[in-house]
Amino acid sequence: MSKGSILVVDDEGTQRDVLRTILTAEGYRVETAASAGEAVEKSGHHRFDLVLTDLRMPGADGLSLIRALTREEPPTLVILMTGYGSMDSAEQAMKLGAFDYLTKPLERDELLLTVGRAFDRIRLMQENRLLRQQLEARFRVEGIVGSHFRMQEVFDKLHKVSGSNSTVLITGESGTGKELVARAIHRHSPRRERPFVAVSCAAIPETLIESELFGHEKGAFTGAATRRQGLFEAADKSTLFFDEIGELSANLQAKVLRALQEREVRRIGGREDIKVDVRILAATNKSLEAEVGRGTFREDLYYRLHVVTINLPPLRERSTDIPELAEFFVARVCAEANRPTMPITKQAMGLLLHYEWPGNVRQLEAVLQRSVLLSDGRAIDYTDLPIEVRFSTLPSKAPAAADQEAERRFSLPDHGINLEEVEREFIVQAMEKSGWVIAKAAKLLGLTYRTLQYRLEKFQIRREGGEEGASEPDAIV
Ligand SMILES: Nc1ncnc2c1ncn2[C@@H]1O[C@H](COP(=O)(O)OP(=O)(O)OP(=O)(O)O)[C@@H](O)[C@H]1O
Ligand SMILES: [Mg+2]
């Protein structure tokens, strides 16, 4: 098993080869880069545990690389390799957060000792992170991802209400996981042995819902050729989930209320009342309170349902859960296709984190399903993501009004576009808007500093008339 991954950055080919040979023989996985720019690009695709970099290289130097890598979360450990007489730079490197420095010519034993110490530190950092994650995720519910404190509150409530027969109203925007939570409550309840029964109040026409819910006797109406049991009866000793309950008509609201109060139902055309023992869960993406105010939802039914409410926050308000959710979906799609899961590159994850997700978790799931199909099979990269995710610009935390949202959105002209040109154009505009300060422009584009730096080099974008070309070391500071 590999001891960990190392990126060796040096403009001299022989130096790279020597380091690769020594470190590979010790069991490390080694990759090399001939410049700081190449190192930035490689570590954008893949996270290395440790970076060993030369100080002096054409283009950006080792110090700028340290600056870029130590700004990451979690930071990458860097060891600087300096020539004789570069003690100033070595000191500066330590101040910038380098793990250590080595003076050239390198000594094998000293090199391995220092690298070994770096990996001890890495293991310690990993253990700490793991412990912290375990603490953060005190509450877990199988099949539901959520470490954000608002999801932890959801799980806490879910565990508390599952054991009881209490009615639970689950609210949240479309795609936030309301049905998933309803099913989890049932799974954790004493009724779990019986099948969960769900009815969508929006999908079935009004005339059918009544017979769906309450059943009918033979000949109760035209077409009722046989007697039929309703969902209330089918859910006896189990759970009945009313999805989109806000869509229920006034007539049915009254009938459902009666069933909840009396705990009995009467089939259409029937004469006797049938006792049922049903636990009710309901979900809505509307504000039932507002519907009550408007007179479209019965207040008495609202209070019956509202005993316990679980509110699922929109995904944009718990974006720290996006990486885990994204990895969860990729792993699931890959497992279904019988193939090993694949990582998501940092650029792609950056875009997923900045997007607003109007369709919430369901939309994230659909985007990743599609990306797995489009990807090269080794990793999900930003080019595998749909255009709306790639071109969602300002990372605004506030829920944008629908029209604002539409205005911000990039719309594809019928004749198509040249994506590279569009990308270049946006980058130039962002640089101009921010007075050619890379950090500011990166924010405008929703990119990391390093990614933008790399793109500037790739597209050879330079300030007209200015000397601050992006490939000059000074411009990177
Ligand atoms: N926290 C989560 N962890 C894992 N998967 C999730 C999570 N939240 C939602 N999903 C998945 O996202 C999809 C949408 O979830 P669900 O159907 O429960 O949403 P909903 O709130 O009922 O949406 P709608 O209002 O549109 O009916 C499902 O495939 C579900 O499995
Ligand atoms: Mg639903």
Side-chain angles (χ1 to χ4, degrees), residues 178-179 243 362:
K178 297 184 292 295
E179 180 159 354
D243 201 1
R362 171 176 295 123

Side-chain angles (χ1 to χ4, degrees), residues 143-145 151 173-180 243 285 318 325 328-329 332 361-362 365:
I144 310 185
V145 173
M151 287 306 287
E173 287 180 14
S174 179
T176 45
K178 297 184 292 295
E179 180 159 354
L180 199 63
D243 201 1
N285 54 22
R318 46 171 153 131
L325 276 165
F328 172 81
F329 291 134
R332 189 158 76 185
V361 187
R362 171 176 295 123
E365 183 179 15

Side-chain angles (χ1 to χ4, degrees), residues 322-323 326-327 344-354 385:
I322 290 176
E327 278 158 14
I344 300 169
T345 68
K346 281 204 252 172
Q347 283 103 324
M349 194 61 95
L351 290 171
L352 295 179
L353 279 165
H354 279 143
L385 299 175

